[in-house]
Amino acid sequence: MLRLTNIKKNYVMGEETVYALKGLDINFRKNEFVSVLGPSGCGKTTLLNIIGGLDKYTSGDLIIAGKSTKEFKDRDWDVYRNHRVGFVFQSYNLIPHQSVLGNVELALTIAGLSKTERVERARRALERVGLADKINKMPNQLSGGQCQRVAIARALVNEPEILLADEPTGALDTETSVQIMELIKEIAKERLVIMVTHNPELAERYSTRIIKLLDGNLLDDSNPYSVNQEKDEVEKSKNEIKNISKENAKMSSWTAFKLSLKNLLSKKRRTIMTIFAGSIGIIGISLVLSISYGVKGYVADMQNDMLSGSPITITQTTLDIKSLMNFATPEEKVEIIKDKGQVNIDTLVKTLVKRAETTENMMISNKIEKNFIDYLKAMPKEYLAAVVFDYGHDVTKNLYTEATFGGVGTQNMSLVAVQEIYTSILKQTEYKDYASFITSLNKAFAQSVNDKDYVETQYNILAGEVATKRDEIMIVLNKDRQISDLLLTQLGYYTQDEFLNIVDEATGKTYNKDIFKKQISYEDIMKKTFTYYPNDLVYNQQDKTTNIWEENFFRPFTYNATKTAAMDGKGVELKIVGIIEPKEEIKFGCLQSGFYYTEELSNYINEVNNNSEIVNFIKNENDKVYSMPTEDGIVEISRVKDNNIVIASQLGGIKYSYSYVLNEKTISSSGNLFGNDMYKSIMASMGMGSGASTLSELGGATVPSAISIYPSNFEDKELVLSYLDAWNDDSKEITVNNTTYAKADRELITYMDSLSIIMGMINSFINVITIALVGFTALSLVVSSVMIGIITYVSVMERVKEIGVIRSLGGRKKDVSFLFTAETFMIGLTSGVFGVAFTYFAGFIINIITKNAIQARIAILPIPVALIMILISVFLTFISGVTPSRSAAKKDPVVALRTE
């Protein structure tokens, strides 16, 4: 059944060749107990290893069941060892981190048997060798004889045709040796047993055939077996012979993982330290990415919050961002030549001129025309939350309400009159330094966003409802449910005494606590009413020769009784219908604290004032030059310039007119409506209300001076920007309301998206820092990878004998390599998971701190990024373990089995 034909084995050691076997011809029977005797170095173990397929012969042929092995590949030898041969070694060669049952199962696992069948057959093998009660013990819990019995059970579990025993009793006492030999003798009745021994007494006593070797040659054979007999036996047993090519020997991935896991668990401290060290790099990078994502998320949340507070704007005059960026870019350096004895002159004037030119070029004028307005109105509604068309109205001159002043009682006057009176009152007191604060810090009225639903997504309604109609006003409070005292002052909510009392309290003076208001009820604030009057009631052309216009601050309008009677019913009574405040989660709403009128009122202002006398005067008289007499002669001035007009004021019967050029004031009184001397003095000196008013402020503009676009969200914002960019695209024709506009028909429109610019710069800065920190912390990953490679190599050195055992049981080189690859995989996976888990824990602590400090979570590691970090950990440890794993696979199994 087994034949050696002229087998030679040579070992090349440097320049010297050692001839271990010198042409052996030996045939073996199917069932016999063969002992191989001879002195050390005679070739006994080499012969055994060649028969077992652990070592390859140099020449000759090993014939197994009539089949030559000359053409055998590694796979064939692996299958041969797994299915036909069982090994029993002198030093047992049990795997220390596997149980008794696990050691015996291993050969069956490599053979590919199911778990149930493996356990059953392993149990039977252990019962046969008398170890049924030791199956769950570890090798270090057994005696030497018990360990050898386990080795025999492992050799027999796959029911091999050949049992090879290399000094099976060499490490045992006499009594145990006898027990083992009796067991082997019993086994030899059913298969071929070849035993290498130095003990001739054991050989004589137990074996049925003794072969003696000397210096690699066959010295004696006590019971030779002829070639013809061997051929006859093969012929008779050909139906029983296994076909090697149809058999399998492959360690499953799960087995490799279990073996590696048990090895790691057997060295818990080292494994834990390795995992911790391997996770440091992952922790560093994950924390950097976590904070980076968190900060970006915080910035994104800020953008979402600020999206409504920083809309895309289009104004008649805007800033060219590209020019601004060029302005911020350092100029090209000029080569400086340092001559001895000469002072170089810096061309600062030239630099300033260039800067001035650049600054001037940074401003761009937009010519907003009706076709562009129509284009905006045709924008898909799903892109937008709201669009506000601001026509630049100054409603404070046309809005009238009641206000109370000392000595004169309650008067119905325009809001601008209230503001100017309070400003003038302060100028007459010791608080004159605060006079400018009244109008500089607050805009009394502004136009609201035209979408009720959009407003309600950001604001809580405290009283009433959101204003939507022409005659409705709403009040917006801040997050502390406050509105400024200066704003209430401008709108006539405070009397003169109450206002001065507020100033006294603020400046630390004695004040009247009884009239000092810290709160005002919804009912009191909402019961005040306002009336909007058209231009033809508010403005009157005072002198047709000089074309100076008066502004009428008080009701009733007395300058033209007939005109007043005709226009009096056209005022719009405005009522406060709602009070709202920002929702808790909204940091930057679309409306600031203040009073707001609706788009409906804005449209009405355009409609009613567009053909008013003062607006028509501006349109018709623009750029006309008038002659005006002065003490020095006749001066020609433009009374209307660039759609602006000079307006004189009529207040309390006192008229004011100004020279546009000379800035001279002439006061003429037609009576005093007020009886208070101090108030009269104020009125006579304040020069209030005069100056230039624009066509837009007067309600005469046909197109808006500013447009605010509120996208629904940041995704839709990109669609809005693309839509706006299409208007400026030379290659596109734009069709609006069935009218097509070529590029020549469209004025270039430059929009301002300051929020995206600022946030883009912030994100770029965050990216730079993130890349730098990740690059720095990545060094720890490299170090940990090298360390894991070293530890894997150490593990290979520690498990050399295990490698030999696996190879002797039929395990492939790939199986050995995968054994250590699985180990690095588990270390990498565990390191990655631990690193990510620690990152989440550290992030939790960081977020607790930042939540209290800035009301935000800045440590956020997205699940996909966490998974990527784990994969990176696995990949790097896998790479670091490739070289050690390959070196393990290449180890000679014969050498590996001899390693201690």
Side-chain angles (χ1 to χ4, degrees), residues 35-51:
S35 292
V36 181
L37 297 176
S40 297
C42 70
K44 301 188 301 297
T45 301
T46 300
L47 173 63
L48 205 66
N49 290 334
I50 288 175
I51 293 173

Side-chain angles (χ1 to χ4, degrees), residues 73-90:
K73 297 179 181 179
D74 285 345
R75 174 190 175 279
D76 299 317
W77 286 116
D78 294 337
V79 173
Y80 168 68
R81 287 193 301 272
N82 185 251
H83 290 275
R84 293 179 180 270
V85 180
F87 288 91
V88 179
F89 305 101
Q90 177 180 349

Side-chain angles (χ1 to χ4, degrees), residues 25 34 45 55 64 97-98 118 120 123 163 166 198 245 490 594 606 708 755 783 843 883:
D25 290 294
V34 181
T45 301
D55 206 351
I64 304 169
H97 50 265
Q98 286 275 55
R118 290 201 310 266
E120 180 61 30
R123 286 179 180 274
L163 180 66
D166 187 4
H198 287 87
S245 63
Q490 292 180 60
N606 277 349
S708 299
L755 180 61
V783 173
T883 300

Side-chain angles (χ1 to χ4, degrees), residues 177-309:
S177 296
V178 170
Q179 294 174 356
I180 295 300
M181 289 305 298
E182 288 291 344
L183 180 59
I184 294 176
K185 180 180 179 181
E186 185 67 25
I187 292 169
K189 293 179 180 180
E190 55 193 36
R191 55 180 48 81
L192 171 62
V193 175
I194 302 175
M195 180 182 71
V196 169
T197 182
H198 287 87
N199 192 331
E201 293 181 4
L202 287 178
E204 291 290 345
R205 181 176 177 182
Y206 291 101
S207 59
T208 59
R209 179 182 177 184
I210 297 175
I211 294 176
K212 295 181 180 179
L213 299 181
L214 182 62
D215 297 330
N217 293 306
L218 179 61
L219 183 63
D220 184 48
D221 187 346
S222 66
N223 188 12
Y225 185 51
S226 68
V227 174
N228 291 332
Q229 289 176 311
E230 189 266 340
K231 288 182 178 180
D232 291 340
E233 188 176 37
V234 170
E235 183 64 26
K236 292 177 182 179
S237 306
K238 64 180 180 180
N239 293 329
E240 303 174 10
I241 295 174
K242 299 176 182 177
N243 188 339
I244 294 178
S245 63
K246 294 183 179 180
E247 294 172 342
N248 183 46
K250 175 183 177 182
M251 181 186 291
S252 68
S253 301
W254 178 238
T255 300
F257 273 110
K258 286 195 297 182
L259 287 173
S260 297
L261 179 61
K262 289 181 178 180
N263 177 63
L264 291 173
L265 292 176
S266 68
K267 304 175 180 67
K268 293 184 181 65
R269 291 185 179 179
R270 188 176 75 183
T271 301
I272 292 172
M273 292 179 65
T274 303
I275 290 171
F276 178 73
S279 67
I280 290 175
I282 298 297
I283 291 172
I285 294 178
S286 297
L287 273 176
V288 170
L289 293 176
S290 172
I291 293 175
S292 174
Y293 274 98
V295 172
K296 283 185 176 181
Y298 177 64
V299 171
D301 289 341
M302 285 180 60
Q303 290 185 78
N304 283 318
D305 289 340
M306 295 173 67
L307 187 61
S308 56

Side-chain angles (χ1 to χ4, degrees), residues 312-375:
I312 302 167
T313 57
I314 301 170
T315 56
Q316 291 180 342
T317 302
T318 189
L319 187 65
D320 185 358
I321 297 299
K322 291 183 179 179
S323 298
L324 180 63
M325 299 305 292
N326 292 334
F327 182 81
T329 304
E331 295 182 2
E332 182 179 352
K333 289 190 175 182
V334 179
E335 183 180 359
I336 303 298
I337 301 174
K338 298 180 181 179
D339 291 332
K340 186 175 182 181
Q342 302 294 322
V343 176
N344 290 325
I345 299 175
D346 188 5
T347 58
L348 182 59
V349 172
K350 183 178 179 180
T351 301
L352 291 175
V353 169
K354 286 185 176 180
R355 291 294 188 186
E357 291 174 351
T358 304
T359 304
E360 183 178 354
N361 292 334
M362 283 193 297
M363 301 308 297
I364 293 178
S365 295
N366 283 321
K367 187 176 181 181
I368 302 174
E369 296 181 330
K370 185 177 182 302
N371 59 358
F372 181 71
I373 300 300
D374 292 339
Y375 178 68

